[in-house]
Every structure is written in structure tokens, then in C-alpha cells.
Amino acid sequence: MNRMPIALWALTLASFGIGTTELVPMGLLPTIAEDLKVSLFAAGLLITGYALGVVIGVPFVSVIFSRISRKNLLLLLVGGFAIGNLLCAWAPNYTFLMIARVICAFMHGTFFGESYVVAAKLAPSGKQTSALALVSLGLTLSTVLGAPLGTYLGLAYNWRMPFYVIAGIGVIAFMAIALLLPGVKQEQVASLRKQFGVLRRPQVLLALMMTVFGIGGVFTVLTYITPMLEQITGVSSHGVSAILLIYGIGTLVGNIVGAKLADRWLLPTLLGALIVLAVVLTSLTFTIHNPIAAIITIFIWGGSAFASIPPLQMHILEKASDAPQFASGLNVAAFNMGNALGAFLGGIVIENPSLHLSALPWVAALVTFVGVFLTLVSLRID
């Protein structure tokens, strides 16, 4: 039987903790701002700083530690992530907390870059994309469970409590990787020039831009989904939480289905997922006004969004096979750039007096259609 190696579940646990670290401050910004005596805007920069740390950290960490074994590098990254969360929990002031967040962010991109490469190598024949989806399942669960539970802990006890818990998850993941993951050699380490040289390849640049615009469309709406549901759909705050859980279930389904299809048809699966995503975001312009229609649309939205992630990751591994961990890490950075792009565009829309929250879905669809166009170009080049 072609079962997935149990070692991949250790990577899934680590990805759950790292994903939760990125997201959990979103629900605790007012509490953090009040405790550290900073503005809400300054507290929000803790999220922006993290995203930028991921982007900067990928080439920096990947190059410095490119010659140690992948298992040891993963242990170093997960250990650094656990320590970074402890520093967040102990932060006596805002500056210390920002530095601790950046330390965590530096671990983030390279961890996913390395773990995806390891997952593809350990996977049974023909199951590489499914293996990537198993690791990214932790990231999906961090959205569905990690962030809401972290917010609950922070509000029920103290904003520092979630960081203690995440640090504990990091310690458990560290031990699991140490015990379960076999040694995976760095067969031929690409030189620094060769690693950065992959950025001269049109297909690699296309793959990164596909990620930026595909994910950018998602976050154009997702960043502001709570006020949309409350002000347009007329849903209560408790109802919003339930609908976001439905979105999370959709992401789980999409992650699994997208991976299985991509194992057989990689780029067609990616193209199909992005087309469905763009159409669904367009339809949200109309369905957001009806609670039942909005729930159905949001479920399909979550599924199509996360169905695109495994093939996006596998595609860039194929196009940069001689520097896979570097390119894979860059794709994680591109994901964060898409996050920042979407939130920025959404902010411009809602600040524009001639537009409104209801304009967000069609703007998001336009962003996603750019990703569809780039995927078509990639198919044509192939």
C-alpha cells in the first residue's frame, strides 16, 4: 500500500504551529495594544512585520544553512520557532515583541520550503503532491482551529498564553521530527549564484506571480470578511464565527481534492481551481446579500482557494528542481506577498468614498483573473 510515511505528520504538526503563530495576533490586537501601551495601528504592524520577515528570511536563511542536512535544518528551524514564541510570551515591551515576531518569521518561509522538498522525496511514487498537501494541512488547520483557539486563550487568560502553547507545540514537533524523520541528504547543494539564477527563468517567475495574484485575490476579501458579513449580510458576531468555520471546512476539502487531482493533472488542476475561485469571488458580489447563498459561496470559495495551493507548490518544485528548497521557500514568501497585496488592495477599496465593502469581491476576482492569465501563459510555454 502507498501509505504516507508517519514522519510527514511531524512536519504537519510543525506547520500547524507556525501557521498559528502568524495568524493568532489578528484576534488579539486590541488586547496587545492596550497591554503594551501602543496604538492599534502599531499593533497591526506586528502582522505586517511578520509577513516582511518571511519574505526577507527565505533567501537569507536558505543560503546560510544550505549545506547542512535537511533533517538538521528542519530541527534548527522548528527549535528557533519555539524559542521565538517563548520570546513573544516574555516580551516586556513592543520593540522586544516585534523582534521576537521577526525571529519567528525568519523560520517560517525556509521551514515550508524545506518541508515541502522533504515531503516530495519521502512520498510514495505518484503521491508527491498529496504529500505536499499533507504538510500544508497543518497550515490549513491553523486557519480553521489554531487562530480561533489562540484568540480564545488570549482573551480568556492573557495575550501571552497562546504563544506559550505554540512554543509547546514547537517542542513536541521538534521531538517528533528528531525521532521519526529519516536523514535526508542535501544531494547537490546549488551555489548561491545558481540559487538566485532560478529567478531568471520565465517559468519560475510565472509560478511566483501565479501565487501572488491567486492568493492576493483571496485575501482582498478574507481580510475584511467579518465587517462584510456583519454590515452587508446582517450576520451576528457569533454567526460570523460559524461561517468562518464553514470556510475552513471548505479549505480542508479543497486541499485534499486539489492534491489528488494535481497528482495526475498538475497545471490543469491549478488552472481549474483559479478559474473557479475567480468565478466564485465574482458571484460573492451578489450572494453576500443573502445568508444562505453567502454560506454556500464561502464554502466553495475556501475549497477552490486551497485546491490551488498544492499544485502551485509542486509546480515551482518542478520548474526549479536544481534549487528546490530555495524556490519552494520563495513560493511561501510569494504567498505572504499575496496576503499583503490583498489586504492593501482591500484597504484601498473600503477607503475609497465611491466604493464600498460590497465592491471587494469583484476587485478580488480581477486580481485572481490575473493569476488565471499567468497560468494560461505557463501552459502555453510548456
Side-chain angles (χ1 to χ4, degrees):
M1 293 181 66
N2 290 332
R3 291 184 176 179
M4 291 295 174
I6 192 173
L8 295 185
W9 287 100
L11 299 178
T12 303
L13 179 62
S15 73
F16 171 75
I18 292 175
T20 304
T21 295
E22 180 175 20
L23 298 173
V24 77
M26 291 183 182
L28 299 172
L29 290 183
T31 306
I32 294 172
E34 182 180 357
D35 185 55
L36 297 182
K37 296 179 174 55
V38 297
S39 68
L40 193 60
F41 173 76
L45 291 178
L46 293 169
I47 297 168
T48 306
Y50 190 101
L52 293 176
V54 173
V55 175
I56 296 170
V58 167
F60 182 77
V61 177
S62 296
V63 169
I64 289 180
F65 299 106
S66 62
R67 297 189 179 276
I68 69 175
S69 74
R70 289 201 167 107
K71 179 175 180 177
N72 288 338
L73 178 54
L74 286 169
L75 289 172
L76 177 68
L77 295 169
V78 174
F81 145 76
I83 292 170
N85 275 280
L86 278 179
L87 293 176
C88 289
W90 294 338
N93 54 53
Y94 173 80
T95 302
F96 192 100
L97 179 58
M98 177 64 83
I99 293 171
R101 289 278 293 167
V102 171
I103 290 173
C104 292
F106 267 46
M107 307 298 118
H108 183 122
T110 306
F111 168 81
F112 281 103
E114 289 291 332
S115 63
Y116 288 144
V117 173
V118 170
K121 287 186 173 295
L122 296 182
S125 178
K127 298 290 184 181
Q128 283 82 6
T129 311
S130 293
L132 266 62
L134 179 58
V135 175
S136 65
L137 175 63
L139 198 58
T140 307
L141 289 174
S142 71
T143 303
V144 181
L145 298 174
L149 288 176
T151 300
Y152 171 78
L153 286 174
L155 295 175
Y157 297 95
N158 185 287
W159 67 263
R160 302 173 190 272
M161 181 60 69
F163 293 106
Y164 281 116
V165 174
I166 296 168
I169 292 172
V171 171
I172 296 171
F174 181 94
M175 293 188 294
I177 291 170
L179 292 172
L180 300 174
L181 193 72
V184 182
K185 295 180 180 179
Q186 296 274 28
E187 296 85 355
Q188 278 188 311
V189 181
S191 66
L192 181 61
R193 181 178 179 181
K194 191 171 186 180
Q195 290 190 59
F196 279 96
V198 301
L199 293 174
R200 292 197 296 268
R201 299 174 191 171
Q203 280 285 39
V204 172
L205 291 176
L206 274 173
L208 293 173
M209 296 307 292
M210 284 151 57
T211 298
V212 170
F213 285 98
I215 298 304
V218 172
F219 279 93
T220 300
V221 176
L222 187 60
T223 306
Y224 305 97
I225 190 63
T226 297
M228 286 179 66
L229 289 171
E230 290 178 345
Q231 297 178 32
I232 301 175
T233 317
V235 177
S236 68
S237 56
H238 292 293
V240 170
S241 299
I243 292 175
L244 290 179
L245 178 60
I246 291 171
Y247 172 85
I249 295 171
T251 65
L252 284 173
V253 174
N255 191 58
I256 295 168
V257 173
K260 289 188 177 298
L261 292 175
D263 276 330
R264 299 186 64 182
W265 308 287
L266 184 61
L267 277 180
T269 298
L270 175 57
L271 178 62
L274 290 177
I275 289 175
V276 172
L277 176 60
V279 171
V280 168
L281 286 172
T282 303
S283 68
L284 190 62
T285 306
F286 311 100
T287 60
I288 194 69
H289 296 278
N290 180 278
I292 301 300
I295 289 171
I296 295 171
T297 307
I298 287 171
F299 175 81
I300 301 172
W301 168 28
S304 57
F306 275 69
S308 68
I309 292 178
L312 277 170
Q313 193 63 45
M314 194 66 211
H315 178 57
I316 198 165
L317 284 177
E318 288 187 351
K319 298 306 175 185
S321 57
D322 51 341
Q325 64 271 37
F326 179 68
S328 185
L330 284 176
N331 202 45
V332 176
F335 184 99
N336 279 268
M337 289 181 67
N339 184 338
L341 171 67
F344 177 73
L345 286 177
I348 291 176
V349 170
I350 63 176
E351 289 293 320
N352 190 317
S354 62
L355 298 174
H356 188 256
L357 282 168
S358 59
L360 286 174
W362 64 260
V363 173
L366 290 176
V367 176
T368 305
F369 271 120
V370 176
V372 171
F373 172 75
L374 293 172
T375 306
L376 287 170
V377 173
S378 186
L379 273 166
R380 181 63 184 268
I381 293 176
D382 276 350

